[in-house]
């Protein structure tokens, strides 16, 4: 079973994530940050993963701790659900448009955490969500899932469209990289990822 259920409790947040890589894109998200919930729903829907996220954080400070800690625990859940990565595609990429915006994501389930993030957004805020946290979320995911993730917004004018395109592109690439190929063994000459 390619599933994980994890919790993280700190002095700043309480986060619970349930992840099923062989799901159908079902989601239930509750972080207290409306736009972030919307982006997590996109991540689940377009990866084909079932995802439940329940988070309570110190939103009276700002959304940083909540968003980052969701990324940390989601990355850990992804690593656990992937197991030894035998039979997965490993590499994948996706380009996703959303109206005037275009984003690209490229993934390697390498076992080596690295994030390249090439995007800047015209607006600092989308509703109650700080756009600087897009990078923080994906850094936390890539570090804790131990994956290489390259994200780029090629162009766009509307921050909502640009951020959503990034999440959808990441979802498509992650879902494809984690998909089963039917092959045996780990897709690496080293024999381990």
């Amino acid at each position: 079973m390619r599933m994980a259920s994890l919790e993280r409790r700190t002095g700043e947040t309480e986060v619970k994530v349930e992840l099923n890589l062989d799901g159908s894109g079902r989601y239930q998200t509750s972080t207290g940050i409306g736009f972030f919930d919307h982006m997590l729903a996109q991540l689940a829907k377009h990866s084909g993963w079932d995802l439940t996220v329940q988070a309570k954080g110190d939103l009276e400070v700002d959304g940083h701790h909540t968003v980052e800690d969701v990324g940390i625990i989601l990355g850990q859940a992804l690593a656990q659900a992937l197991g030894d990565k035998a039979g997965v595609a490993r590499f994948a990429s996706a380009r996703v448009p959303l109206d005037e915006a275009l984003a690209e994501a490229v993934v390697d389930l390498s076992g080596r955490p690295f994030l390249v993030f090439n995007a800047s957004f015209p607006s600092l805020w989308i509703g109650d969500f700080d756009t600087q946290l897009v990078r923080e979320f994906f850094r936390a995911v890539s570090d804790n899932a131990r994956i290489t993730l390259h994200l780029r917004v090629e162009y766009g004018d509307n921050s909502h469209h640009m951020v959503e395109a990034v999440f959808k592109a990441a979802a498509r690439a992650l879902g494809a990289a984690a998909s089963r190929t039917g092959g045996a063994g780990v897709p690496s000459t080293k024999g381990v990822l």
Side-chain angles (χ1 to χ4, degrees):
M1 297 295 289
R2 300 191 322 148
M3 301 171 66
S5 179
L6 297 173
E7 294 185 36
R8 175 180 169 88
R9 294 178 186 270
T10 72
E12 299 162 340
T13 64
E14 295 179 14
V15 181
K16 181 177 181 182
V17 167
E18 296 177 1
L19 178 65
N20 179 358
L21 301 183
D22 298 319
S24 60
R26 290 187 306 246
Y27 55 88
Q28 183 177 5
T29 62
S30 177
T31 66
I33 306 170
F35 183 75
F36 186 44
D37 286 338
H38 181 48
M39 292 304 97
L40 292 171
Q42 302 308 314
L43 191 62
K45 187 67 173 178
H46 294 285
S47 65
W49 300 342
D50 291 344
L51 177 64
T52 300
V53 177
Q54 297 174 333
K56 294 180 184 176
D58 55 357
L59 297 181
E60 70 281 0
V61 175
D62 67 12
H64 189 285
H65 299 141
T66 301
V67 172
E68 184 177 40
D69 284 8
V70 169
I72 288 170
I73 196 77
L74 179 58
Q76 291 171 352
L78 177 56
Q80 182 176 318
L82 284 168
D84 67 1
K85 302 177 192 163
V88 299
R90 179 180 171 180
F91 302 102
S93 63
R95 291 167 53 89
V96 172
L98 181 58
D99 296 344
E100 87 297 345
L102 181 66
E104 179 179 40
V106 182
V107 175
D108 178 5
L109 304 180
S110 62
R112 296 182 305 279
F114 201 91
L115 174 68
V116 174
F117 187 85
N118 188 357
S120 58
F121 306 107
S123 301
L124 182 59
W125 291 93
I126 303 169
D128 54 355
F129 182 80
D130 180 350
T131 57
Q132 295 179 95
L133 298 180
V134 178
R135 178 193 303 261
E136 297 304 317
F137 172 76
F138 283 112
R139 179 180 290 127
V141 171
S142 63
D143 284 354
N144 287 276
R146 302 192 57 77
I147 61 174
T148 297
L149 179 59
H150 291 238
L151 299 173
R152 173 174 60 153
V153 175
E154 292 191 35
Y155 46 79
D157 298 316
N158 180 296
S159 294
H160 184 132
H161 297 164
M162 295 164 75
V163 172
E164 188 165 339
V166 168
F167 270 83
K168 287 178 175 177
R172 297 285 295 186
L174 284 164
S179 67
R180 295 179 189 265
T181 63
V186 174
S188 172
T189 56
K190 292 182 289 197
V192 64
L193 288 174

